[in-house]
Amino acid sequence: MHKPFLSLLALFSLLATTTIDAANAPSSIVGKKMVVNYQSSDGESGVHTVIVDSSTQVWEYDNDDGEWELNQYTWEVTGSNQATYKEGVIPVDYAELFFTFSNSNSGSFTGKLWDTENGQPILGGELSGTFTISTPAESELPPLARYFSDDFSD
């Protein structure tokens, strides 16, 4: 056999067995866990975790008190690998994040924090960082509809 043919055959074999992880923004994030690692323009950094409950609500983990809080959100795909995520009381007090996917479940973002003053939106700060989107394990879900029973007779 000819060497160029063997090289082409080896390349074809490699391509046929390689899985490409497309960098497409998902059309929906319902049922997903999103973890955002951020750095703000004022030097604050942290991790923001949400579980997307429906097409309009997320459960946001509050790192300060360890509680899950219900919040509003919107998700809009703006390009093949881009999406805009807004969370909070829109348009009064919310975060607006512009995601760029580097693969099907993670990437980087820039964002803005919006406040309202005298009925007018004002920029409260800017953010940047990375994010991941995954399917949450049962143990990662907010503790909703979990009850204990005790007759307190002791």
Tab-separated table of all heavy atoms in Angstrom, residues 27-62:
chain	number	residue	atom	x	y	z
A	27	SER	N	-31.559	24.885	24.112
A	27	SER	CA	-32.775	25.684	23.940
A	27	SER	C	-33.522	25.852	25.265
A	27	SER	O	-34.298	26.785	25.425
A	27	SER	CB	-33.687	25.042	22.896
A	27	SER	OG	-34.042	23.738	23.305
A	28	SER	N	-33.277	24.950	26.214
A	28	SER	CA	-33.924	25.022	27.525
A	28	SER	C	-32.942	24.533	28.589
A	28	SER	O	-32.104	23.672	28.320
A	28	SER	CB	-35.171	24.138	27.548
A	28	SER	OG	-35.686	24.027	28.849
A	29	ILE	N	-33.068	25.096	29.800
A	29	ILE	CA	-32.241	24.628	30.921
A	29	ILE	C	-33.110	24.085	32.051
A	29	ILE	O	-32.632	23.872	33.153
A	29	ILE	CB	-31.291	25.741	31.421
A	29	ILE	CG1	-32.048	27.010	31.804
A	29	ILE	CG2	-30.207	26.029	30.393
A	29	ILE	CD1	-31.192	28.083	32.463
A	30	VAL	N	-34.388	23.837	31.767
A	30	VAL	CA	-35.311	23.304	32.769
A	30	VAL	C	-34.803	21.941	33.237
A	30	VAL	O	-34.417	21.093	32.432
A	30	VAL	CB	-36.744	23.192	32.208
A	30	VAL	CG1	-37.660	22.492	33.206
A	30	VAL	CG2	-37.282	24.571	31.862
A	31	GLY	N	-34.778	21.744	34.554
A	31	GLY	CA	-34.322	20.492	35.138
A	31	GLY	C	-32.815	20.411	35.305
A	31	GLY	O	-32.289	19.382	35.721
A	32	LYS	N	-32.106	21.489	35.021
A	32	LYS	CA	-30.644	21.488	35.094
A	32	LYS	C	-30.137	22.218	36.331
A	32	LYS	O	-30.819	23.031	36.931
A	32	LYS	CB	-30.045	22.152	33.844
A	32	LYS	CG	-30.385	21.467	32.554
A	32	LYS	CD	-29.793	20.081	32.506
A	32	LYS	CE	-30.064	19.413	31.161
A	32	LYS	NZ	-29.517	18.067	31.131
A	33	LYS	N	-28.907	21.914	36.679
A	33	LYS	CA	-28.177	22.620	37.732
A	33	LYS	C	-27.168	23.518	37.021
A	33	LYS	O	-26.483	23.076	36.101
A	33	LYS	CB	-27.442	21.617	38.615
A	33	LYS	CG	-26.491	22.244	39.608
A	33	LYS	CD	-25.720	21.156	40.348
A	33	LYS	CE	-24.606	21.721	41.188
A	33	LYS	NZ	-23.815	20.654	41.802
A	34	MET	N	-27.091	24.771	37.448
A	34	MET	CA	-26.126	25.682	36.871
A	34	MET	C	-25.254	26.234	37.983
A	34	MET	O	-25.758	26.710	39.003
A	34	MET	CB	-26.826	26.816	36.135
A	34	MET	CG	-25.870	27.740	35.442
A	34	MET	SD	-26.618	28.843	34.226
A	34	MET	CE	-28.038	29.474	35.083
A	35	VAL	N	-23.952	26.135	37.787
A	35	VAL	CA	-22.981	26.667	38.743
A	35	VAL	C	-22.184	27.747	38.026
A	35	VAL	O	-21.573	27.494	36.992
A	35	VAL	CB	-22.048	25.560	39.274
A	35	VAL	CG1	-21.004	26.145	40.221
A	35	VAL	CG2	-22.843	24.459	39.953
A	36	VAL	N	-22.222	28.961	38.596
A	36	VAL	CA	-21.545	30.113	38.021
A	36	VAL	C	-20.441	30.552	38.977
A	36	VAL	O	-20.711	30.848	40.139
A	36	VAL	CB	-22.548	31.274	37.792
A	36	VAL	CG1	-21.823	32.517	37.316
A	36	VAL	CG2	-23.631	30.858	36.808
A	37	ASN	N	-19.209	30.540	38.511
A	37	ASN	CA	-18.061	31.054	39.270
A	37	ASN	C	-17.795	32.453	38.740
A	37	ASN	O	-17.506	32.615	37.552
A	37	ASN	CB	-16.832	30.169	39.055
A	37	ASN	CG	-17.018	28.800	39.657
A	37	ASN	OD1	-16.986	28.660	40.864
A	37	ASN	ND2	-17.236	27.799	38.816
A	38	TYR	N	-17.892	33.468	39.613
A	38	TYR	CA	-17.835	34.837	39.126
A	38	TYR	C	-16.786	35.673	39.851
A	38	TYR	O	-16.371	35.377	40.962
A	38	TYR	CB	-19.202	35.512	39.270
A	38	TYR	CG	-19.648	35.682	40.699
A	38	TYR	CD1	-19.291	36.815	41.433
A	38	TYR	CD2	-20.412	34.712	41.335
A	38	TYR	CE1	-19.688	36.967	42.748
A	38	TYR	CE2	-20.821	34.863	42.649
A	38	TYR	CZ	-20.446	35.992	43.351
A	38	TYR	OH	-20.837	36.139	44.655
A	39	GLN	N	-16.415	36.731	39.175
A	39	GLN	CA	-15.569	37.794	39.715
A	39	GLN	C	-16.280	39.087	39.351
A	39	GLN	O	-16.605	39.308	38.186
A	39	GLN	CB	-14.178	37.746	39.072
A	39	GLN	CG	-13.230	38.850	39.499
A	39	GLN	CD	-12.623	38.599	40.861
A	39	GLN	OE1	-12.353	37.471	41.220
A	39	GLN	NE2	-12.419	39.662	41.617
A	40	SER	N	-16.565	39.935	40.343
A	40	SER	CA	-17.271	41.181	40.065
A	40	SER	C	-16.293	42.324	39.836
A	40	SER	O	-15.114	42.228	40.184
A	40	SER	CB	-18.234	41.524	41.197
A	40	SER	OG	-17.510	41.899	42.350
A	41	SER	N	-16.801	43.411	39.289
A	41	SER	CA	-15.963	44.575	38.998
A	41	SER	C	-15.425	45.231	40.270
A	41	SER	O	-14.425	45.940	40.215
A	41	SER	CB	-16.748	45.594	38.174
A	41	SER	OG	-17.949	45.957	38.827
A	42	ASP	N	-16.056	44.962	41.412
A	42	ASP	CA	-15.555	45.526	42.673
A	42	ASP	C	-14.645	44.557	43.427
A	42	ASP	O	-14.331	44.771	44.592
A	42	ASP	CB	-16.697	46.004	43.559
A	42	ASP	CG	-17.616	44.879	44.011
A	42	ASP	OD1	-17.357	43.707	43.681
A	42	ASP	OD2	-18.616	45.175	44.691
A	43	GLY	N	-14.246	43.462	42.761
A	43	GLY	CA	-13.297	42.534	43.357
A	43	GLY	C	-13.898	41.362	44.097
A	43	GLY	O	-13.183	40.476	44.553
A	44	GLU	N	-15.217	41.338	44.248
A	44	GLU	CA	-15.867	40.224	44.931
A	44	GLU	C	-15.882	39.004	44.009
A	44	GLU	O	-16.084	39.117	42.808
A	44	GLU	CB	-17.303	40.611	45.292
A	44	GLU	CG	-18.040	39.541	46.064
A	44	GLU	CD	-19.471	39.948	46.403
A	44	GLU	OE1	-19.771	41.147	46.426
A	44	GLU	OE2	-20.271	39.033	46.628
A	45	SER	N	-15.668	37.833	44.589
A	45	SER	CA	-15.758	36.604	43.806
A	45	SER	C	-16.591	35.595	44.580
A	45	SER	O	-16.774	35.725	45.792
A	45	SER	CB	-14.369	36.037	43.510
A	45	SER	OG	-13.713	35.693	44.714
A	46	GLY	N	-17.110	34.621	43.870
A	46	GLY	CA	-17.920	33.625	44.533
A	46	GLY	C	-18.491	32.612	43.575
A	46	GLY	O	-18.152	32.577	42.394
A	47	VAL	N	-19.372	31.783	44.125
A	47	VAL	CA	-20.041	30.730	43.363
A	47	VAL	C	-21.537	30.910	43.542
A	47	VAL	O	-22.020	31.083	44.668
A	47	VAL	CB	-19.613	29.329	43.858
A	47	VAL	CG1	-20.351	28.240	43.109
A	47	VAL	CG2	-18.106	29.155	43.734
A	48	HIS	N	-22.255	30.885	42.453
A	48	HIS	CA	-23.716	31.015	42.463
A	48	HIS	C	-24.286	29.723	41.873
A	48	HIS	O	-23.941	29.350	40.756
A	48	HIS	CB	-24.124	32.224	41.619
A	48	HIS	CG	-25.591	32.482	41.593
A	48	HIS	ND1	-26.272	33.000	42.671
A	48	HIS	CD2	-26.505	32.289	40.621
A	48	HIS	CE1	-27.548	33.132	42.355
A	48	HIS	NE2	-27.722	32.705	41.112
A	49	THR	N	-25.148	29.043	42.646
A	49	THR	CA	-25.715	27.764	42.209
A	49	THR	C	-27.225	27.875	42.136
A	49	THR	O	-27.859	28.366	43.067
A	49	THR	CB	-25.337	26.642	43.203
A	49	THR	OG1	-23.910	26.575	43.312
A	49	THR	CG2	-25.875	25.298	42.744
A	50	VAL	N	-27.799	27.413	41.018
A	50	VAL	CA	-29.249	27.371	40.871
A	50	VAL	C	-29.670	26.008	40.331
A	50	VAL	O	-28.915	25.340	39.619
A	50	VAL	CB	-29.808	28.481	39.947
A	50	VAL	CG1	-29.517	29.854	40.495
A	50	VAL	CG2	-29.291	28.341	38.537
A	51	ILE	N	-30.870	25.608	40.704
A	51	ILE	CA	-31.536	24.452	40.114
A	51	ILE	C	-32.741	25.021	39.371
A	51	ILE	O	-33.575	25.715	39.964
A	51	ILE	CB	-32.013	23.436	41.181
A	51	ILE	CG1	-30.844	22.963	42.056
A	51	ILE	CG2	-32.745	22.282	40.525
A	51	ILE	CD1	-29.827	22.090	41.368
A	52	VAL	N	-32.826	24.755	38.074
A	52	VAL	CA	-33.888	25.324	37.252
A	52	VAL	C	-35.127	24.454	37.393
A	52	VAL	O	-35.140	23.293	36.977
A	52	VAL	CB	-33.439	25.442	35.784
A	52	VAL	CG1	-34.522	26.113	34.957
A	52	VAL	CG2	-32.125	26.222	35.692
A	53	ASP	N	-36.164	25.028	37.992
A	53	ASP	CA	-37.373	24.302	38.358
A	53	ASP	C	-38.413	24.262	37.241
A	53	ASP	O	-39.117	23.277	37.081
A	53	ASP	CB	-37.967	24.956	39.609
A	53	ASP	CG	-39.137	24.197	40.166
A	53	ASP	OD1	-39.016	22.982	40.360
A	53	ASP	OD2	-40.183	24.835	40.410
A	54	SER	N	-38.536	25.350	36.495
A	54	SER	CA	-39.539	25.443	35.436
A	54	SER	C	-39.024	26.420	34.390
A	54	SER	O	-37.882	26.859	34.456
A	54	SER	CB	-40.879	25.928	36.010
A	54	SER	OG	-40.787	27.300	36.363
A	55	SER	N	-39.889	26.796	33.467
A	55	SER	CA	-39.453	27.729	32.429
A	55	SER	C	-39.367	29.166	32.939
A	55	SER	O	-38.902	30.051	32.210
A	55	SER	CB	-40.391	27.654	31.225
A	55	SER	OG	-41.699	28.031	31.619
A	56	THR	N	-39.779	29.420	34.185
A	56	THR	CA	-39.737	30.782	34.729
A	56	THR	C	-39.136	30.881	36.124
A	56	THR	O	-38.907	31.982	36.609
A	56	THR	CB	-41.157	31.394	34.793
A	56	THR	OG1	-41.969	30.583	35.649
A	56	THR	CG2	-41.770	31.509	33.413
A	57	GLN	N	-38.881	29.741	36.806
A	57	GLN	CA	-38.400	29.785	38.185
A	57	GLN	C	-37.163	28.923	38.400
A	57	GLN	O	-37.044	27.839	37.839
A	57	GLN	CB	-39.481	29.313	39.149
A	57	GLN	CG	-40.691	30.220	39.180
A	57	GLN	CD	-41.738	29.733	40.161
A	57	GLN	OE1	-41.933	28.534	40.336
A	57	GLN	NE2	-42.400	30.671	40.804
A	58	VAL	N	-36.278	29.445	39.264
A	58	VAL	CA	-35.090	28.702	39.690
A	58	VAL	C	-35.044	28.693	41.208
A	58	VAL	O	-35.555	29.597	41.866
A	58	VAL	CB	-33.778	29.324	39.158
A	58	VAL	CG1	-33.692	29.244	37.664
A	58	VAL	CG2	-33.582	30.750	39.639
A	59	TRP	N	-34.428	27.644	41.742
A	59	TRP	CA	-34.096	27.611	43.164
A	59	TRP	C	-32.647	28.031	43.258
A	59	TRP	O	-31.761	27.408	42.696
A	59	TRP	CB	-34.311	26.213	43.743
A	59	TRP	CG	-35.746	25.911	43.943
A	59	TRP	CD1	-36.553	25.160	43.131
A	59	TRP	CD2	-36.563	26.362	45.014
A	59	TRP	NE1	-37.822	25.129	43.635
A	59	TRP	CE2	-37.863	25.854	44.793
A	59	TRP	CE3	-36.343	27.158	46.139
A	59	TRP	CZ2	-38.922	26.109	45.655
A	59	TRP	CZ3	-37.401	27.404	46.993
A	59	TRP	CH2	-38.672	26.885	46.752
A	60	GLU	N	-32.419	29.133	43.975
A	60	GLU	CA	-31.093	29.713	44.132
A	60	GLU	C	-30.559	29.369	45.514
A	60	GLU	O	-31.241	29.577	46.513
A	60	GLU	CB	-31.204	31.226	43.968
A	60	GLU	CG	-29.987	31.996	44.353
A	60	GLU	CD	-30.251	33.502	44.403
A	60	GLU	OE1	-31.362	33.958	44.112
A	60	GLU	OE2	-29.304	34.198	44.773
A	61	TYR	N	-29.335	28.828	45.560
A	61	TYR	CA	-28.728	28.512	46.851
A	61	TYR	C	-28.085	29.765	47.418
A	61	TYR	O	-27.256	30.403	46.774
A	61	TYR	CB	-27.689	27.397	46.716
A	61	TYR	CG	-27.140	26.971	48.053
A	61	TYR	CD1	-27.912	26.200	48.911
A	61	TYR	CD2	-25.878	27.353	48.456
A	61	TYR	CE1	-27.434	25.813	50.158
A	61	TYR	CE2	-25.378	26.966	49.692
A	61	TYR	CZ	-26.165	26.200	50.538
A	61	TYR	OH	-25.683	25.827	51.762
A	62	ASP	N	-28.479	30.137	48.628
A	62	ASP	CA	-27.927	31.311	49.297
A	62	ASP	C	-26.732	30.870	50.142
A	62	ASP	O	-26.891	30.191	51.155
A	62	ASP	CB	-29.001	31.966	50.178
A	62	ASP	CG	-28.546	33.287	50.774
A	62	ASP	OD1	-27.320	33.473	50.968
A	62	ASP	OD2	-29.406	34.125	51.051
